[in-house]
């Protein structure tokens, strides 16, 4: 289907329509050989609360954004190379059903579909595109992924010290390494993680000690091997930037203490043919 649609007029028109919806704030999406396979609205689990997002599946990238006027105007465009994507199905919660996680080296997040059938179709087509790309490029699947952020309302106390209670004046913060919701005292450190950002990012105290230990081990390995081969990862935004509301004055809702947020124990609008 991809080869059949590549470089056709109908495919060009579909991609141009998506570009027009994002307007000047979006990046150009038309490339030789790129095919728009389908689109749909999914619910994305954001920091504050679940929010609807428009998703577009191409044969080499996944694009999503915020909905201003459906079918007419979108903003906050995000582009994820499919070669960097790993998928993980998740169990239902009381709040969300038909969930799965989209994991990448720079950003990981949870989405949910309107039905189980819709989730199966999304995952099936995503996995097919990813498999085709990896075979074409000879790359191995991504093994290192950014931690998804635990939602703010999942806890009303710091997940590290378990003592500090969040309030209007006591803000919630997220560790960029583990994704835990932590207080300021438990996340005063910053650490440079080039895979996520060119700037040092907030991390909790435990992750900071672990990262320092890993850095020390790497330095010792560098001394044993003076000229290691290094590669810089370039791409899209770090997980700290998207859908994070700045105000923290919403009343926290108590989640069950035994809730497993991201474990693997347990409508797509159009596929073009």
């Amino acid at each position: 289907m991809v080869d059949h649609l590549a470089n056709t007029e109908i495919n060009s028109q579909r991609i141009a329509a998506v570009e027009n919806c994002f307007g000047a704030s979006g990046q150009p999406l038309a490339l030789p050989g790129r095919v728009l396979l389908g689109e749909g609205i999914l619910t994305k689990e954001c920091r504050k609360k679940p929010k609807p997002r428009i998703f577009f599946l191409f044969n080499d990238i996944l694009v999503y954004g915020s909905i201003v006027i459906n079918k007419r105007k979108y903003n906050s465009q995000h582009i994820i190379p499919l070669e960097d994507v790993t998928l993980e199905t998740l169990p239902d919660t009381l709040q969300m059903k038909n969930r799965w996680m989209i994991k990448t080296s720079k950003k990981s997040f949870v989405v949910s579909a309107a039905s189980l059938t819709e989730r199966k179709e999304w995952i099936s087509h995503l996995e097919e595109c990813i498999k085709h790309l990896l075979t074409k490029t000879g790359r191995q699947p991504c093994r290192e992924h950014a931690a998804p952020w635990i939602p703010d309302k999942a806890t009303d106390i710091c997940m590290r010290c378990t003592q500090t209670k969040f309030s209007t004046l006591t803000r919630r913060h997220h560790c960029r390494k583990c994704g835990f919701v932590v207080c300021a005292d438990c996340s005063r450190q910053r650490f440079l993680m080039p895979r996520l950002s060119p700037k040092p990012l907030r991390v909790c105290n435990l992750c900071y000690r672990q990262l320092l230990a890993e850095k020390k081990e790497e330095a010792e390995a560098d001394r044993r091997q003076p000229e290691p081969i290094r590669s810089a990862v370039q791409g899209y935004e770090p997980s700290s930037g998207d859908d994070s509301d700045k105000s923290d004055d919403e009343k926290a809702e108590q989640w069950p203490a035994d809730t497993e947020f991201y474990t693997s124990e347990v409508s797509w609008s159009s596929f073009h043919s």
Side-chain angles (χ1 to χ4, degrees):
M1 181 177 69
V2 173
D3 293 338
H4 174 71
L5 289 173
N7 303 317
T8 62
E9 182 63 26
I10 185 64
N11 180 63
S12 298
Q13 292 175 356
R14 288 168 176 164
I15 295 178
V18 176
E19 290 180 330
N20 289 336
C21 286
F22 279 106
S25 64
Q27 298 183 34
L29 299 173
L31 286 178
R34 176 171 289 170
V35 176
L36 176 59
L37 298 176
E39 64 185 76
I41 297 176
L42 298 173
T43 300
K44 181 176 179 290
E45 294 187 11
C46 302
R47 175 181 176 179
K48 283 292 183 183
K49 61 182 180 180
K51 300 175 182 178
R53 295 286 183 261
I54 184 69
F55 281 78
F56 299 94
L57 176 60
F58 295 80
N59 60 327
D60 62 335
I61 57 175
L62 181 66
V63 178
Y64 73 93
S66 301
I67 303 170
V68 181
I69 304 175
N70 193 28
K71 301 290 185 180
R72 295 180 60 186
K73 185 176 182 180
Y74 308 123
N75 59 22
S76 302
Q77 183 192 77
H78 295 265
I79 300 177
I80 303 177
L82 288 182
E83 293 178 353
D84 196 33
V85 170
T86 302
L87 306 177
E88 178 183 354
T89 56
L90 300 173
D92 292 346
T93 66
L94 294 176
Q95 293 79 18
M96 304 291 292
K97 299 184 183 299
N98 310 311
R99 306 160 68 233
W100 76 96
M101 188 185 300
I102 298 175
K103 300 190 292 186
T104 79
S105 61
K106 282 186 171 288
K107 183 180 181 64
S108 298
F109 56 92
V110 176
V111 294
S112 62
S115 67
L116 182 61
T117 299
E118 185 177 321
R119 182 180 75 169
K120 289 180 179 178
E121 290 185 351
W122 268 104
I123 292 177
S124 174
H125 285 78
L126 278 163
E127 289 181 339
E128 182 179 353
C129 290
I130 294 168
K131 181 180 178 181
H132 177 75
L133 273 175
L134 293 177
T135 300
K136 181 179 179 180
T137 61
R139 289 183 52 183
Q140 295 298 314
C142 182
R143 302 295 184 187
E144 190 174 5
H145 305 108
W149 283 19
I150 302 297
D152 280 7
K153 293 183 179 180
T155 180
D156 60 358
I157 61 173
C158 174
M159 299 177 72
R160 284 302 184 202
C161 69
T162 68
Q163 301 296 319
T164 301
K165 185 175 179 63
F166 298 120
S167 66
T168 302
L169 299 179
T170 305
R171 290 193 57 209
R172 291 169 168 84
H173 300 280
H174 279 81
C175 172
R176 271 56 168 182
K177 181 68 168 60
C178 66
F180 276 24
V181 184
V182 291
C183 66
D185 287 341
C186 289
S187 60
R188 293 192 179 280
Q189 305 294 338
R190 302 289 190 275
F191 198 90
L192 180 62
M193 294 180 283
R195 178 172 55 86
L196 298 181
S197 171
K199 299 180 180 180
L201 300 175
R202 178 188 294 269
V203 293
C204 68
N205 297 341
L206 177 61
C207 286
Y208 182 72
R209 292 193 294 269
Q210 293 175 343
L211 288 166
L212 281 180
E214 293 173 2
K215 184 177 180 180
K216 182 178 179 180
E217 292 178 0
E218 291 175 359
E220 292 175 351
D222 286 346
R223 285 195 293 269
R224 291 192 296 268
Q225 186 178 353
E227 297 181 359
I229 299 175
R230 301 183 182 274
S231 61
V233 179
Q234 300 179 356
Y236 39 97
E237 296 86 352
S239 58
S240 59
D242 179 40
D243 297 319
S244 57
D245 298 334
K246 293 183 178 180
S247 63
D248 288 274
D249 54 358
E250 296 182 12
K251 183 177 179 181
E253 298 176 1
Q254 186 63 42
W255 286 31
D258 58 350
T259 299
E260 297 183 11
F261 299 105
Y262 305 127
T263 60
S264 55
E265 296 175 358
V266 191
S267 96
W268 182 261
S269 64
S270 58
F271 276 116
H272 305 311
S273 59

